[in-house]
Amino acid sequence: MTASDKKPYKILFVCLGNICRSPAAQGVLQSIIDRAGRAGEFLVDSAGTYSGHQGDLPDRRMREAASCRGYALTHRARPVSSLDFLDFDLIIAMDDNNYTDLMHLAPSVESSRKVKRMAGYLTGHSISYIPDPYYMGRDGFELVLDLLENACGNLYRSLLSEEDR
Ligand code: 4NP
């Protein structure tokens, strides 16, 4: 079997609305993967625990802040489903509420082990969750992007170190 025969490793980011944090995380990690020339080896997606924004583009404020850093966010919001636990290898929650909701949705104990906290990949920050920027100003969106760039860099390195998974 050659490297190109391998199935892509699938990562799903999850937040509440799927219009701010998780599509931004998706864009940041995808950019790291693309710049490394490893697009075929990973599949990155995002979803929300709340379905009210289904079909929407990411929040305009997040799209603008991300665009200034070179990320084009084009994801359309969708709700997370229990089927995602069969499809994805790794499911990453932005905060503790998302984590708890995902634990309840997991169809089995084994699949619940796929769920991790995004803050677990942070280095040099003492914050234990990615804050919801929806009711914050521009600074909130910049803080979220700072945290996501830090965490996604570390997440990507951890994915490479598990390469013979
Ligand atoms: P997200 O932010 O979970 O990072 O996408 C939010 C988006 C929408 C809402 C809350 C948080 N909302 O209440 O509609």
Side-chain angles (χ1 to χ4, degrees):
M1 186 158 115
T2 67
S4 59
D5 294 330
K6 258 173 115 179
K7 279 204 294 183
Y9 188 81
K10 298 175 83 167
I11 303 132
L12 181 69
F13 292 109
V14 177
C15 61
L16 175 62
N18 193 210
I19 56 169
C20 295
R21 293 165 291 174
S22 61
Q26 178 183 356
V28 171
L29 182 61
Q30 189 67 60
S31 163
I32 292 171
I33 291 167
D34 290 348
R35 280 187 276 120
R38 306 188 70 152
E41 296 169 51
F42 300 95
L43 191 148
V44 190
D45 194 6
S46 65
T49 58
Y50 164 67
S51 63
H53 292 284
Q54 186 161 1
D56 291 353
L57 279 170
D59 186 283
R60 181 185 48 76
R61 297 163 296 172
M62 181 55 91
R63 274 187 284 139
E64 285 176 4
S67 168
C68 289
R69 299 186 189 211
Y71 310 111
L73 306 184
T74 58
H75 176 76
R76 292 283 176 172
R78 72 166 179 93
V80 65
S81 117
S82 57
L83 292 176
D84 287 318
F85 284 82
L86 307 178
D87 200 19
F88 286 86
D89 299 295
L90 182 60
I91 300 176
I92 302 182
M94 294 293 141
D95 64 30
D96 287 342
N97 288 333
N98 310 147
Y99 184 88
T100 304
D101 288 345
L102 287 167
M103 283 300 176
H104 286 127
L105 190 62
S108 66
V109 172
E110 191 196 350
S111 65
S112 73
R113 293 198 190 99
K114 296 179 175 182
V115 183
K116 309 287 178 204
R117 287 181 172 81
M118 189 61 162
Y121 295 98
L122 285 172
T123 49
H125 289 273
S126 52
I127 193 162
S128 63
Y129 58 95
I130 308 299
D132 182 348
Y134 195 67
Y135 295 106
M136 295 182 191
R138 173 90 195 200
D139 287 355
F141 288 85
E142 296 297 340
L143 170 64
V144 166
L145 286 168
D146 288 345
L147 295 172
L148 295 179
E149 286 179 335
N150 177 308
C152 282
N154 295 319
L155 166 61
Y156 180 67
R157 281 184 283 281
S158 87
L159 295 173
L160 295 188
S161 69
E162 291 164 28
E163 254 187 0
D164 14 73
R165 63 188 170 255

